[in-house]
């Protein structure tokens, strides 16, 4: 019981100097999360915590703060669920604090809000997020959550990720911390298998998880829990009994898996399911980490079957993509994971962005793209020239770069499209192929910059 | 008149449509040419706001943050983060104006914005917009007032031909343009404050969004006070009239709660005729009035048998309800984001300040929903049809060019709504027929 009496606020400093954060190495400026006034983009810790936890559709997500923290952002995350009850991922809850709550205290309102949520929506758990204002005024959300849990018998989990502590990455670490502290290990599973795994950092965005989960199951690998795509509170509470943690494209959660290794002796590996090569490598890596010779053999057979099936379906696209060159302008692990998918399709990736990339990401990008490729450090100003120099046919970037593609009259694909459509796993590659083909064959990029009749 | 409930009576918002005061401020600054809105707070508020407007307008949005952290929050009264921001912004771009607006965090710690601003050389307007007060409308209005108070030079003469137009926040860029051109057609020169019609109107430009690309210029803002009249549209911006009159008491103020539908537009036209001393309006105005009359008759049958739920900002509710009422639409329920003096005048059976949970509970009261993109999912849950209007709309493209105001937009609006109502009834008939068929097959 003692643990409950101390604050569950994670030690921000510890999370910031997390050794697994590559940005810290050899950096003079200090932790990577220190934002520059007037030159900062990207969401806050609260945003990151929400992204990490929102996919739990059987839990309510209650934001204790004003409407800036939730107003335009709820119901925007396309993380589908198979949870048969009401989809609470797509339900916005906020205390919408007013002057009174700021001057006096928002605790009573928060307690009543928890009552309202549990009475009307019967969630499996309630995540309560502090925000800048309620953290500054010192509302004790730990106490309110503890009392809420006692009152209702439903776990109420405080998430201390007010935006002023840092950026999204830190928020997702804090979310991991909260789940580790308040949920994981609070329930024993009914049965376990030698091949139980947790998927950490897989958000099932646009149904990505569903592109490969069935293959794991076919091999007898059981997904005990996910953090948190198509996740269930009941399963994450038993996550400590898994044999392996698989981190999916989410370096920020390494601290969580490291702690699970310390506390429960669960080893972890890091995977990506983007493109054919990465998907195959990842499935095999999981089998190898589970260390069963028969499983490994069956996995190799399954991979061979899936690759052959995919290759056949890709035949019509091969001619379209033959000799095509692409410039990729996106951040972080996408700088190489998308590149790998493009290469699977037979597209040559001549340049990628390594702005804000970690040393490991840069090394990986180099390894995937080869010696001749250009690693752009300031893509916004470089990409037009790079397109000229390489004769690229396709620019994959965020919407902001569309104008560059139009000026250069080459095809454009919005990489953020993947927020709406799943390009993951084997079948996702077919979706990507179709979208790229449509881009390459679309006349709009040439037409739209056509000279007007009155222009000379 | 309507039954009005001005308080939510709940400890929380469930499925909120309310948006925050700083968001309204950002949008207002985006209607100033070559402006960099600078949100004074931790980085997340600016990010959420930027994402929201980027998705709504399908345009890159210029917005920066002072990126207050737990360290600066304790040590700094705003001086450091604001001056640093302005320095860093200046390293990259050269804005004609920096629009500093606060958030709950910086208001709670009590930053002295006026003091900081007085020490800064760069062209700057500041406004206090804590997000635990007000909403989108008040953030917009406070910013317009700040622009005038801090930039407009006092003046003693007036130019009878010059009109300052102040639209409410829910008017989309094309609506501002239509209204501006409408007034200009009567021989006036119009300055819209703010003017989203040239900045966020979905035009192809150099879309790097380093600064707002269009809008009212700083020079125009400085010279506002020689206008003959200020026209405010929407109850939320009514106070702006007095703000401008402080710079020149000779300016006449004419207020309209909305310029929607036949009567609403007639009132504007009557005033324009009187002020311009014309007997008849321009021919095109007359023509559009006839088209609207026809649209009203064409749509009355469908809309007249339909019960509506409207979900929007108060001024937007007033405008839409007036249009629908003119052709017999029954506005059963209007849900406002925040309280407003206009709520009592909305032509609806019931007006409440509330959220979409309220809408869900009162599902038996209405057939068609008009509201922001969240009402699409609501419509699925309660088995109704939704028509997208208001902020934000992530479901559809082209929001910036959707015109519902004046005679012309009024006609389009009625067509849109009547068609949606008809499609809804069609599909009901279809389902009923299918049921009967199946029963027949089973028997
Ligand atoms: S920075 Fe703070 S106030 Fe802003 S959205 Fe994030 S948690 Fe909310």
């Amino acid at each position: 019981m003692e643990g409950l009496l101390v604050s569950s606020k994670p030690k921000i400093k510890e999370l910031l100097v997390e050794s697994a954060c590559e940005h810290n190495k050899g950096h003079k400026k200090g932790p990577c999360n220190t934002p520059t006034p007037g030159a900062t983009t990207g969401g806050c810790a609260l945003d990151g915590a929400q992204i990490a936890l929102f996919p739990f559709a059987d839990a309510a997500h209650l934001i204790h703060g004003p409407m800036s923290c939730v107003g335009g952002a709820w119901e925007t995350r396309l993380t589908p669920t198979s949870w048969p009850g009401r989809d609470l991922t797509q339900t916005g809850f906020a205390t919408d604090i007013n002057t009174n709550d700021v001057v006096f205290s928002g605790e009573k309102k928060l307690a009543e809000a928890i009552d309202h949520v549990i009475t009307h929506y019967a969630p499996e758990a309630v995540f309560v997020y502090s925000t800048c204002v309620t953290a500054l005024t010192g509302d004790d959300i730990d106490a309110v959550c503890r009392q809420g849990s006692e009152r209702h018998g439903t776990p109420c989990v405080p998430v201390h990720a007010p935006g002023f502590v840092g950026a999204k990455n830190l928020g997702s670490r804090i979310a991991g911390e909260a789940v580790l502290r308040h949920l994981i290990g609070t329930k024993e599973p009914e049965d376990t298998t030698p091949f139980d795994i947790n998927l950490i950092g897989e958000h099932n965005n646009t149904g990505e998880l569903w592109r490969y989960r069935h293959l794991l199951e076919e091999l007898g690998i059981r997904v005990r829990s996910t953090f948190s795509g198509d996740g269930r509170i009941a399963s994450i509470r038993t996550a400590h009994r898994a044999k392996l943690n698989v981190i999916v494209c989410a370096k920020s959660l390494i601290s969580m898996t490291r702690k699970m290794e310390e506390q429960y002796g669960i080893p972890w590996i890091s995977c990506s399911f983007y493109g054919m090569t990465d998907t195959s490598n990842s499935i095999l890596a999981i089998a190898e980490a589970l260390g069963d010779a028969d499983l490994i053999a069956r996995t190799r057979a399954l991979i061979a079957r899936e690759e052959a099936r995919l290759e056949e379906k890709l035949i019509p696209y091969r001619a379209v993509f033959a000799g095509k060159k692409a410039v990729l302008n996106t951040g972080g692990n996408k700088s190489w994971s998308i590149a790998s998918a493009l290469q699977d399709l037979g597209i040559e990736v001549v340049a990628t962005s390594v702005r804000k990339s970690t040393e490991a990401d840069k090394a990986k990008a180099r390894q995937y793209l080869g010696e001749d490729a250009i690693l752009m450090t300031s893509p916004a100003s470089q990409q037009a020239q790079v397109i000229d120099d390489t004769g690229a046919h396709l620019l994959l970037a965020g919407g902001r770069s569309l104008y560059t593609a139009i000026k250069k009259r080459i095809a454009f694909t919005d990489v953020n499209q993947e927020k709406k459509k799943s390009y993951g796993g084997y079948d996702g590659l077919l979706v990507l192929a179709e979208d790229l083909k449509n881009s390459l064959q679309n006349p709009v990029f040439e037409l739209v910059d056509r000279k007007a009749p009155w222009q000379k | 008149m309507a039954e009005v409930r001005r308080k939510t009576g709940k400890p929380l918002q469930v499925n909120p449509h309310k948006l925050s005061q700083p968001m309204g401020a950002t949008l207002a600054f985006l209607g100033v040419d070559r402006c960099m809105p600078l949100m004074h707070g931790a980085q997340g508020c600016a990010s959420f706001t930027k994402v929201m407007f980027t998705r709504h307008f399908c345009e890159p949005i210029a917005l920066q943050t002072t990126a207050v952290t737990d360290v600066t929050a304790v040590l700094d009264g705003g001086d450091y983060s604001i001056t640093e921001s302005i320095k860093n912004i200046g390293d990259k771009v050269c804005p004609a104006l920096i629009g500093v607006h606060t958030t709950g965090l910086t208001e709670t710690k009590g930053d002295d914005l006026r003091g900081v601003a007085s020490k800064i050389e760069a062209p700057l307007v500041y406004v206090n917009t804590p997000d635990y007060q007000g909403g989108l409308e008040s953030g917009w209005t406070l910013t317009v007032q700040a622009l005038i108070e801090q930039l407009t030079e006092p003046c003693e003469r007036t130019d009878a031909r010059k009109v300052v137009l102040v639209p409410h926040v829910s008017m989309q860029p094309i609506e501002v343009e239509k209204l501006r051109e409408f007034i200009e057609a009567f021989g006036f020169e119009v300055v819209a404050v703010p003017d989203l019609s040239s900045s966020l109107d979905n035009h192809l430009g150099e879309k790097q969004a380093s600064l707002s690309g269009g809008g009212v210029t700083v020079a125009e803002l400085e010279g506002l006070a020689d206008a003959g009249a200020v026209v405010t549209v929407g109850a939320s911006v009514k106070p702006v009239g007095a703000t401008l009159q402080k710079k020149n008491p000779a300016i006449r103020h004419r207020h309209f709660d909305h310029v929607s539908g036949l009567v609403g537009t007639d009132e504007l036209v009557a005033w324009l005729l009187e002020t311009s001393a014309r007997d008849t309006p321009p021919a095109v105005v007359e023509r559009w009035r006839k088209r609207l009359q026809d649209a009203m008759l064409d749509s009355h049958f469908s809309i007249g048998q339909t019960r509506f739920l409207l979900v929007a900002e108060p001024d937007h509710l007033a405008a839409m309800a007036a249009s629908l009422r003119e052709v017999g639409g029954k506005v059963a329920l209007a849900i406002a984001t925040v309280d407003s003096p206009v709520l009592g005048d909305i032509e609806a059976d019931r007006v409440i300040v509330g959220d979409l949970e309220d809408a869900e509970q009162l599902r038996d009261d209405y057939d068609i929903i008009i509201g922001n993109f969240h009402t699409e999912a609501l419509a699925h849950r309660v088995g109704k049809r939704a028509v997208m209007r208001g902020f934000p709309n992530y479901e559809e493209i082209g929001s910036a060019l959707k015109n519902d105001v004046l005679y012309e937009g009024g006609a389009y609006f009625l067509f849109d709504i009547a068609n949606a109502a008809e499609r809804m009834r069609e599909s009901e008939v279809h389902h009923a027929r299918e049921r009967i068929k199946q029963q027949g097959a089973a028997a």
Side-chain angles (χ1 to χ4, degrees):
Chain A
M1 271 335 274
E2 219 196 280
L4 283 178
L5 296 174
V6 299
S7 167
S8 65
K9 283 188 193 173
K11 300 199 172 48
I12 301 294
K13 281 253 168 52
E14 261 171 38
L15 289 175
L16 279 175
V17 296
E18 170 58 53
S19 57
C21 175
E22 289 273 346
H23 286 94
N24 283 346
K25 286 190 187 143
H27 238 272
K28 279 169 260 141
K29 280 201 218 144
C32 52
N33 300 74
T34 312
T36 317
T40 295
T41 50
C44 64
L46 170 73
D47 196 1
Q50 286 179 19
I51 291 170
L53 297 171
F54 262 29
F56 284 119
D58 57 353
H61 302 270
L62 173 59
I63 290 157
H64 186 36
M67 296 317 285
S68 286
C69 310
V70 67
W74 70 276
E75 207 178 57
T76 58
R77 323 229 185 246
L78 298 179
T79 60
T81 179
S82 57
W83 166 247
R86 177 153 182 160
D87 182 353
L88 296 176
T89 301
Q90 310 300 351
T91 310
F93 298 102
T95 50
D96 183 21
I97 52 160
N98 55 32
T99 311
N100 207 45
D101 306 321
V102 173
V103 175
F104 300 102
S105 156
E107 290 174 14
K108 184 162 162 282
K109 189 176 202 181
L110 178 61
E112 286 171 12
I114 290 175
D115 293 345
H116 182 103
V117 169
I118 294 180
T119 320
H120 291 87
Y121 295 89
E124 296 290 308
V126 183
F127 290 104
V128 176
Y129 303 77
S130 70
T131 62
C132 291
V133 174
T134 54
L136 191 71
T137 56
D139 281 1
D140 187 352
I141 71 166
D142 285 321
V144 178
C145 282
R146 192 166 58 241
Q147 288 151 9
S149 306
E150 281 162 11
R151 212 160 47 244
H152 298 280
T154 302
C156 298
V157 180
V159 184
H160 294 278
F164 59 63
V165 300
K168 273 204 260 192
N169 272 349
L170 179 61
S172 98
R173 265 174 260 166
I174 292 170
E177 203 67 22
V179 166
L180 193 57
R181 186 177 186 113
H182 294 277
L183 292 174
I184 292 175
T186 58
K187 210 175 133 182
E188 288 305 321
E190 278 160 20
D191 61 335
T192 56
T193 77
F195 302 145
D196 278 12
I197 64 168
N198 301 318
L199 294 173
I200 308 290
E202 169 58 84
H203 298 145
N204 197 29
N205 280 330
T206 64
E208 212 106 80
L209 164 65
W210 296 340
R211 293 236 187 253
Y212 64 88
R213 182 184 180 138
H214 62 285
L215 296 173
L216 298 177
E217 275 160 8
E218 185 185 330
L219 292 166
I221 297 170
R222 187 167 70 170
V223 179
R224 159 147 301 290
S225 77
T226 63
F227 180 86
S228 55
D230 197 14
R232 299 288 186 280
I233 295 300
S235 332
I236 198 75
R237 295 176 73 174
T238 68
H240 58 299
R241 295 300 177 212
K243 301 295 185 293
L244 179 69
N245 271 334
V246 177
I247 304 186
V248 186
C249 274
K251 277 189 295 289
S252 51
L253 290 169
I254 288 178
S255 58
M256 178 180 180
T257 51
R258 238 195 15 181
K259 284 188 184 160
M260 285 178 79
E261 189 167 28
E262 281 163 22
Q263 285 175 27
Y264 305 111
I266 306 174
W268 58 273
I269 58 169
S270 198
C271 286
S272 152
F273 293 90
Y274 218 99
M276 181 172 76
T277 315
D278 279 358
T279 303
S280 296
N281 290 345
S282 295
I283 297 178
L284 188 60
I286 293 171
E288 283 173 347
L290 290 168
D292 179 276
D294 173 58
L295 175 67
I296 295 169
R298 284 187 290 116
T299 303
R300 286 187 197 283
L302 175 131
I303 289 171
R305 183 195 78 196
E306 287 296 312
E307 290 193 351
R309 186 180 64 86
L310 184 62
E311 283 297 349
E312 203 186 313
K313 289 197 174 160
L314 284 174
I315 290 170
Y317 295 101
R318 292 283 177 206
V320 182
F321 297 144
K324 291 287 187 286
K325 297 178 193 167
V327 171
L328 184 58
N329 174 6
T330 176
N333 56 341
K334 283 204 246 166
S335 63
W336 50 265
S337 63
I338 296 182
S340 161
L342 293 171
Q343 289 169 336
D344 287 338
L345 295 173
I347 295 172
E348 186 191 347
V349 183
V350 291
T352 193
S353 159
V354 290
R355 196 175 82 94
K356 285 192 183 175
S357 285
T358 62
E359 287 306 318
D361 280 331
K362 279 183 205 163
K364 253 194 160 139
R366 177 58 74 203
Q367 176 203 332
Y368 275 68
L369 267 60
E371 277 314 305
D372 294 336
I374 302 162
L375 303 187
M376 301 182 288
T377 44
S378 70
S381 56
Q382 268 176 292
Q383 59 188 3
Q385 188 63 41
V386 169
I387 291 167
D388 284 342
D389 294 347
T390 57
H393 307 88
L394 178 69
L395 175 64
L396 283 101
R400 235 159 225 256
S401 298
L402 173 60
Y403 198 73
T404 309
I406 287 167
K407 276 284 154 216
K408 297 291 159 199
R409 299 190 165 210
I410 67 168
F412 178 83
T413 298
D414 190 342
V415 275
N416 296 320
Q417 195 64 29
E418 61 151 16
K419 287 184 185 149
K420 296 182 197 153
K421 266 174 127 172
S422 159
Y423 293 152
Y426 293 113
D427 290 336
L429 197 59
L430 289 169
V431 180
L432 178 65
E434 183 64 21
D435 285 352
L436 294 179
K437 185 189 89 174
N438 290 340
S439 283
L440 283 165
Q441 295 177 343
N442 199 320
V444 68
F445 305 106
E446 290 225 14
L447 260 182
V448 81
D449 195 41
R450 188 173 185 262
K451 280 212 163 49
W454 57 87
Q455 285 173 327
K456 291 246 174 73
Chain B
M1 263 297 112
E3 166 200 336
V4 182
R5 188 192 82 190
R6 293 181 185 273
K7 283 212 168 112
T8 72
K10 287 193 293 194
L12 80 172
Q13 295 243 4
V14 182
N15 293 342
H17 66 125
K18 177 181 167 185
L19 297 168
S20 76
Q21 199 162 241
M23 290 172 166
T26 302
L27 193 57
F29 281 124
L30 288 169
V32 178
D33 190 34
R34 299 186 49 75
C35 179
M36 175 59 88
L38 176 62
M39 203 183 274
H40 183 35
Q43 71 187 85
C45 321
S47 169
F48 280 135
T49 303
K50 185 168 182 150
V51 168
M52 179 177 83
F53 288 131
T54 304
R55 288 187 63 184
H56 177 88
F57 290 109
C58 292
E59 296 280 335
I61 295 294
L63 173 60
Q64 258 306 334
T65 168
T66 56
V68 174
T69 64
D70 43 356
V71 180
T72 43
V74 177
L75 300 177
D76 172 36
D79 297 54
Y80 167 78
S81 42
I82 294 176
T83 36
E84 266 301 293
S85 297
I86 290 171
K87 198 178 106 233
N88 289 328
I89 291 168
D91 283 349
K92 287 186 196 143
V93 287
C94 184
L97 187 71
I98 292 176
V100 182
H101 45 305
T102 57
T103 59
L105 172 65
T106 48
E107 289 290 333
T108 308
K109 71 197 193 66
D111 284 4
D112 170 24
L113 213 53
R114 178 198 293 261
V116 180
S118 67
K119 289 182 226 151
I120 288 169
E121 300 263 313
L124 174 143
V125 163
Y126 63 90
V127 55
N128 295 87
T129 47
D131 41 14
Y132 47 78
Q133 284 171 6
L136 196 71
E137 284 189 347
S138 59
W140 169 273
T141 300
L142 287 169
T143 305
V144 180
Q145 290 180 298
L147 287 167
I148 293 171
E149 278 159 4
Q150 294 166 44
L151 291 179
T152 304
E153 281 149 17
C155 185
E156 281 169 3
R157 57 191 164 76
T158 59
D159 172 356
R161 285 181 54 239
K162 180 167 167 181
V163 170
V164 173
L165 167 66
V166 185
H168 64 83
V169 66
S170 303
M171 287 183 67
Q172 294 299 311
I174 196 69
E175 297 181 320
V176 176
E177 176 172 300
K178 292 285 177 185
L179 182 52
R180 184 157 47 79
E181 287 175 351
F182 193 89
I183 300 174
E184 279 168 354
F186 285 79
F188 295 100
E189 275 167 32
V190 180
V191 185
V193 185
D195 191 353
L196 296 177
S197 73
S198 53
S199 61
L200 290 174
D201 60 330
N202 288 121
H203 68 286
L204 180 65
E206 294 269 353
K207 307 236 169 144
Q208 291 298 324
S210 35
L211 295 172
S212 62
V216 60
T217 64
V218 171
E220 284 170 325
L221 285 166
E222 287 166 349
L224 283 183
D226 63 354
V230 53
V231 172
T232 49
V233 178
S236 64
V237 290
K238 194 173 180 181
V240 178
T243 309
L244 188 58
Q245 283 172 326
K246 281 209 193 103
K247 300 288 181 174
N248 183 351
I251 300 174
R252 291 205 292 152
H253 177 203
R254 182 65 168 93
H255 174 73
F256 300 91
D257 277 346
H258 61 81
V259 287
S260 291
L262 187 73
V263 178
T265 314
D266 277 353
E267 280 175 17
L268 172 66
V269 172
W271 180 79
L272 287 169
L273 288 173
E274 179 201 312
T275 313
S276 64
R278 291 173 67 131
D279 292 331
T280 50
V284 63
V285 170
E286 249 186 286
R287 193 78 194 159
W288 270 114
R289 189 173 191 278
K290 288 179 181 154
R291 290 180 184 139
L292 174 60
Q293 288 170 309
D294 198 54
M296 290 169 74
L297 293 171
D298 289 348
S299 64
H300 86 279
F301 186 69
S302 173
I303 293 180
Q305 57 181 307
T306 308
R307 301 170 306 156
F308 293 93
L309 161 64
L310 306 185
V311 179
E313 298 295 333
D315 287 340
H316 201 188
L317 288 177
M320 293 192 292
S323 273
L324 294 169
R325 266 316 296 153
E326 289 187 347
V327 293
K330 300 176 199 20
V331 182
L333 179 62
I335 304 185
T337 47
V338 289
D339 191 12
S340 157
V342 84
L343 295 191
D345 299 329
I346 292 172
E347 299 179 60
D349 296 341
R350 179 148 44 149
V351 181
I352 63 174
V353 173
D355 55 26
L356 299 188
E357 184 187 63
D358 299 328
E360 206 165 324
Q361 280 162 2
L362 297 167
R363 64 176 75 187
D364 294 335
D365 290 1
Y366 52 86
D367 312 307
I368 295 259
I369 308 167
I370 308 178
N372 72 10
F373 90 102
H374 291 300
T375 62
E376 179 74 19
L378 168 71
H380 285 299
R381 281 199 297 277
V382 297
K384 318 272 169 163
R385 195 174 274 267
V387 180
M388 304 290 96
R389 285 296 188 276
F391 287 111
N393 182 358
Y394 303 152
E395 287 279 328
E396 298 174 328
I397 54 173
S399 303
L401 301 185
K402 201 140 247 175
N403 176 20
D404 292 342
V405 298
L406 304 170
Y407 299 135
E408 179 183 353
Y412 300 148
F413 179 69
L414 294 181
F415 294 146
D416 256 14
I417 303 303
N419 289 337
E422 279 319 289
R423 277 201 301 276
M424 177 197 69
R425 278 188 279 273
E426 286 289 336
S427 78
E428 277 169 8
V429 168
H430 173 77
H431 286 309
R433 221 183 281 139
E434 289 298 305
R435 262 200 311 278
I436 292 166
K437 265 194 218 161
Q438 275 168 12
Q439 282 162 0

